[in-house]
């Protein structure tokens, strides 16, 4: 193990009150003590990467009312992930939302078709009742005619 020379260390005192242990540059101070604003600048750049992108950065997504718009949205998400405009985490969430919307739309279509079929069934039952009533009345009329003759 090599022992650090005292001259190779920064001569500044850190915020903790201990001597700075970073390597010194030609001026006797480490890079950050010789450029005190640089640490804040680099920290700010790193912090910006963690932030969420603007809501309008990828542009609003069109409504999912038709099948074509879902395909358009999937293409936009794919392009956004490929170019880095949309993070994979956000893309996963968007895909789950699109999938849920499609499933809900399918269920709504099925429910609408069931309601139409129930209406048709009610109509058919009413027509059958009318036919049965007409058949009974015509049968009664025939019996009455036979009895009268």
């Amino acid at each position: 193990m090599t022992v650090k020379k005292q001259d190779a260390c920064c001569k500044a005192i850190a915020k903790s009150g201990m001597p700075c242990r970073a390597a010194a540059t030609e001026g006797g101070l480490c890079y950050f003590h010789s450029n005190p604003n640089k640490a804040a600048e680099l920290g700010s750049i790193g912090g910006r990467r963690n932030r969420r992108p603007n809501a309008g950065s990828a542009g609003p997504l069109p409504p999912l009312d038709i099948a074509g718009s879902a395909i358009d949205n999937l293409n936009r998400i794919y392009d956004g992930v490929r170019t880095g405009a949309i993070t994979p985490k956000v893309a996963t969430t968007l895909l789950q939302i699109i999938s849920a919307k499609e499933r809900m739309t399918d269920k709504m279509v099925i429910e609408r078709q069931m309601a139409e079929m129930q209406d048709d069934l009610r109509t058919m039952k009413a027509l059958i009742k009318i036919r049965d009533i007409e058949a009974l009345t015509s049968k009664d009329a025939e019996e009455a005619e036979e009895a009268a003759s």
Side-chain angles (χ1 to χ4, degrees):
M1 220 198 274
T2 59
V3 178
K4 271 191 173 180
K5 295 181 183 176
Q6 189 67 11
D7 299 346
C9 288
C10 177
K11 295 184 178 11
I13 304 295
K15 286 184 179 181
S16 64
M18 304 291 290
C20 179
R21 298 183 330 180
T25 58
E26 293 174 2
L29 297 175
C30 68
Y31 180 76
F32 290 112
H33 280 118
S34 60
N35 301 311
N37 294 332
K38 197 65 172 176
E41 181 184 328
L42 292 174
S44 144
I45 290 171
R48 278 188 222 128
R49 288 189 193 140
N50 304 1
R51 303 300 181 254
R52 292 180 183 220
N54 294 345
S57 65
L61 295 173
L64 295 175
D65 295 337
I66 56 174
S69 66
I71 293 170
D72 292 340
N73 283 335
L74 293 174
N75 288 333
R76 289 181 69 185
I77 291 169
Y78 173 77
D79 290 339
V81 171
R82 194 171 44 84
T83 60
I86 300 174
T87 63
K89 215 179 208 184
V90 172
T92 300
T93 303
L94 290 172
L95 291 174
Q96 289 174 349
I97 291 170
I98 289 172
S99 176
K101 173 75 174 175
E102 289 297 313
R103 286 192 311 267
M104 288 174 54
T105 303
D106 291 345
K107 285 183 180 181
M108 288 172 49
V109 167
I110 290 170
E111 287 177 359
R112 188 178 326 116
Q113 289 173 345
M114 285 179 57
E116 289 173 1
M117 291 174 98
Q118 287 174 347
D119 287 343
D120 291 345
L121 182 62
R122 280 189 214 105
T123 304
M124 294 294 284
K125 284 182 177 179
L127 289 174
I128 290 171
K129 281 183 180 179
I130 291 171
R131 186 196 67 192
D132 290 345
I133 291 171
E134 287 175 353
L136 285 175
T137 55
S138 65
K139 194 175 191 182
D140 289 342
E142 287 175 9
E143 289 176 3
E145 279 182 27
E146 286 178 11
S149 355

